């Protein structure tokens, strides 16, 4: 049964006239025609009065809705959802529901716009990063073809440079493929039992040369924790550790320190890679995990980075059901931390 304003007015007017007329029957000397007139006039009077009142209320609420929509346009989202749901008036609730619905839609639209912007930036970054090594290799090869090939010294130097550019291009494309495969879920983590301590010592041996060149010392702490058994994909976790330690060396000051720290708790190990380098300004901290994001484009580039390392780190750790956190203080240093589940199984 629909509760239209006319129906409500009709029922109420009927009740009012019935009550009025029945009271009137108790009064002495009341004639039938008097009762009839009272019945009709009270019915008609109440019907229009009630209808008018409802219309005014509805009108007011509709106006409120318009105002709500207007407010939404002005991005005024100050009302909490809890307050909205407590409301008992159906019209007000409808108004509130519209508010919540429109707010949600607006948020979705904003997210889509952000994604679109992100996609555009990504495409521009990829083309730029691909273009640089291709142009370099192309330049060397054309110079060789144009005659430089006859000079033995120049030939070797140019060929080496062209090969280096192409190696860089190869590494970049591999990183991009890994990232997109991880994003689409094509790569599954091959979880196994890994001694993270041994794996880290092995990485330090390999990175010692770069560290020495930059006068950076590498250390694992605490000494007593010789076995750090975690459930992880050994190859991927190695990639994570290499990137974090390599960053800590690359972006450190000359003569700086890098400490890899393992911390044991009931169910997991917390791993942190700390350096005492120049740190990352707070406005960049949330963005360093984005693809191609570099804090200082020129300096990172000069140290051979493409800005994909931390994006890969984040995806690998997510694949392990973990997350990466970063804390940094300018001029003091940076610490990256993540947790991995302990394991004793064989
Ligand atoms: N320990 C750190 N200290 C200071 N800045 C850092 C540190 N680690 C990362 N950054 C900043 O974050 C940016 C992103 O790091 P990421 O590892 O993703 O890229 P990259 O090192 O430039 O390139 P790639 O790892 O692909 O070789 C770096 O360019 C650098 O500016
Ligand atoms: Mg890196």
């Amino acid at each position: 049964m629909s509760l239209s304003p006319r129906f409500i007015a009709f029922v109420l007017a009927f009740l009012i006239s019935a009550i009025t007329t029945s009271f009137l029957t108790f009064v002495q000397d009341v004639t039938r025609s008097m009762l009839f007139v009272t019945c009709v006039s009270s019915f008609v009077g109440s019907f229009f009065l009630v209808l008018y009142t409802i219309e005014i209320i509805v009108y007011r609420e509709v106006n409120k809705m318009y105002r709500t929509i207007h407010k939404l346009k002005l991005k005024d989202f100050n009302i909490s959802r809890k307050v909205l749901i407590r409301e008992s008036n159906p019209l007000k609730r409808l108004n509130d529901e519209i508010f919540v619905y429109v707010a949600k839609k607006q948020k979705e639209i904003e997210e889509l716009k952000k994604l679109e912007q992100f996609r555009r930036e990504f495409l521009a970054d990829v083309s730029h990063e691909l273009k640089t090594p291709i142009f370099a290799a192309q330049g060397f090869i054309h110079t060789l073809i144009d005659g430089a090939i006859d000079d033995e010294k120049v030939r070797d130097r140019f060929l080496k440079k062209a090969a280096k550019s192409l190696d860089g291009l190869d590494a970049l494309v591999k990183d991009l493929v890994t990232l997109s495969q991880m994003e689409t879920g094509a790569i599954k983590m091959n979880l196994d039992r890994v001694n993270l301590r041994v794996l880290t010592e092995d990485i330090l041996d390999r990175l010692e040369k770069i560290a020495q060149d930059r006068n950076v010392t590498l250390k694992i702490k605490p000494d007593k924790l010789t076995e750090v058994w975690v459930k992880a994909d050994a190859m991927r976790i190695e990639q994570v550790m290499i990137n974090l330690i390599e960053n800590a060396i690359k972006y450190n000051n000359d003569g700086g320190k890098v400490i890899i720290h393992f911390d044991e708790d009931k169910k997991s190990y917390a791993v942190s890679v700390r350096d005492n380098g120049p740190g990352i300004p707070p406005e960049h901290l949330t963005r360093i995990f984005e693809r191609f994001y570099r804090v200082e484009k020129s300096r990172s580039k000069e140290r051979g980075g493409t800005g994909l390392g931390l994006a890969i780190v984040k995806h690998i750790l997510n694949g392990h059901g973990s997350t990466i956190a970063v804390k940094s203080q300018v001029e003091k240093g940076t610490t990256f931390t993540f947790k991995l589940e302990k394991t004793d199984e064989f």
Side-chain angles (χ1 to χ4, degrees):
M1 191 170 58
S2 82
L3 276 179
S4 71
R6 269 163 213 250
F7 178 77
I8 298 170
F10 182 88
V11 173
L12 284 176
F14 180 79
L15 286 173
I16 291 167
S17 79
I19 292 165
T20 321
T21 318
S22 52
F23 270 115
L24 212 62
T25 51
F26 294 113
V27 180
Q28 269 184 350
D29 302 323
V30 176
T31 61
R32 275 173 171 233
S33 54
M34 276 166 81
L35 280 175
F36 178 71
V37 172
T38 313
C39 178
V40 172
S41 58
S42 62
F43 177 83
V44 173
S46 337
F47 177 81
F48 284 109
L49 258 174
V50 172
L51 189 65
Y52 180 62
T53 315
I54 292 175
E55 293 287 10
I56 280 184
I57 291 171
V58 170
Y59 179 76
R60 208 186 296 151
E61 288 302 326
V62 167
N63 253 351
K64 240 192 232 171
M65 281 182 215
Y66 278 122
R67 249 180 282 138
T68 305
I69 290 166
H70 184 67
K71 253 196 227 162
L72 279 168
K73 274 193 196 153
L74 299 173
K75 292 195 179 174
D76 184 4
F77 298 114
N78 290 338
I79 302 174
S80 82
R81 211 191 146 90
K82 255 191 193 161
V83 175
L84 298 180
I85 282 151
R86 240 184 273 141
E87 196 55 58
S88 59
N89 177 345
L91 281 168
K92 181 115 182 51
R93 221 164 48 208
L94 174 72
N95 176 16
D96 297 342
E97 280 309 317
I98 290 178
F99 183 94
V100 173
Y101 178 77
V102 177
K104 225 168 88 186
K105 285 286 151 211
Q106 195 130 345
K107 223 171 150 194
E108 273 173 28
I109 292 171
E110 262 158 35
E111 257 158 37
L112 283 175
K113 272 190 193 158
K114 239 189 251 166
L115 275 178
E116 172 59 19
Q117 166 85 358
F118 191 71
R119 193 191 62 82
R120 243 183 279 146
E121 277 175 17
F122 175 66
L123 214 62
D125 284 338
V126 174
S127 357
H128 177 78
E129 294 296 334
L130 292 178
K131 208 173 64 188
T132 320
I134 291 174
F135 270 15
Q138 200 182 23
F140 292 127
I141 291 166
H142 276 292
T143 321
L144 286 169
I145 293 171
D146 292 345
I149 200 154
D150 299 328
D151 183 334
E152 214 168 284
K153 258 191 185 166
V154 173
R155 185 187 67 194
D156 285 355
R157 202 156 53 89
F158 276 27
L159 278 175
K160 269 185 195 149
K161 282 191 173 178
K164 201 177 166 204
S165 292
L166 293 176
D167 285 346
L169 184 66
D170 179 50
L172 171 66
V173 172
K174 271 189 190 141
D175 279 355
L176 274 174
V177 171
T178 313
L179 255 179
S180 69
Q181 279 177 337
M182 274 191 287
E183 266 177 353
T184 53
I187 291 186
K188 291 271 171 288
M189 296 299 148
N190 213 341
L191 296 185
D192 205 354
R193 197 171 171 261
V194 182
N195 187 346
L196 208 53
R197 172 87 191 206
V198 173
L199 186 133
T200 309
E201 279 164 4
D202 190 44
I203 293 171
L204 293 201
D205 284 344
R206 276 186 277 156
L207 294 179
E208 205 167 272
K209 173 88 183 56
I210 326 174
Q212 265 173 9
D213 290 348
R214 304 217 64 240
N215 230 342
V216 171
T217 49
L218 311 173
K219 230 184 203 156
I220 305 181
K221 278 189 176 175
D223 290 331
K224 61 177 182 355
L225 213 59
T226 50
E227 308 237 326
V228 181
W229 288 103
V230 290
K231 207 195 264 179
D233 182 324
M235 223 176 70
R236 304 272 167 216
I237 280 303
E238 186 177 355
Q239 223 176 330
V240 168
M241 293 305 287
I242 289 179
N243 200 300
L244 293 179
I245 300 170
E246 209 176 49
N247 280 354
I249 299 170
K250 270 200 298 190
Y251 306 111
N252 212 325
N253 300 319
D254 200 58
K257 273 187 202 156
V258 177
I259 295 171
I260 298 104
H261 196 279
F262 297 109
D263 216 1
E264 185 175 12
D265 66 32
K266 244 186 182 173
K267 290 189 172 165
S268 56
Y269 280 106
V271 185
S272 64
V273 179
R274 195 171 77 219
D275 66 65
N276 61 347
I280 303 167
E283 66 271 24
H284 296 288
L285 269 187
T286 49
R287 302 204 58 193
I288 52 170
F289 298 101
E290 287 174 19
R291 289 174 291 195
F292 296 115
Y293 195 82
R294 291 186 293 246
V295 176
E296 278 178 64
K297 301 258 174 202
S298 56
R299 206 180 64 172
S300 306
K301 191 114 198 192
E302 163 204 317
R303 295 184 186 170
T306 52
L308 288 178
L310 287 177
I312 295 176
V313 164
K314 185 180 142 188
H315 275 287
I316 293 176
L317 288 172
N318 287 352
H320 282 78
S322 179
T323 49
I324 180 137
V326 56
K327 270 190 196 156
S328 189
Q329 264 184 302
V330 176
E331 304 298 340
K332 290 238 168 90
T334 310
T335 310
F336 285 91
T337 318
F338 64 89
K339 276 186 177 183
L340 282 176
E341 205 183 314
K342 257 182 180 177
T343 179
D344 295 317
E345 303 154 30
F346 283 90

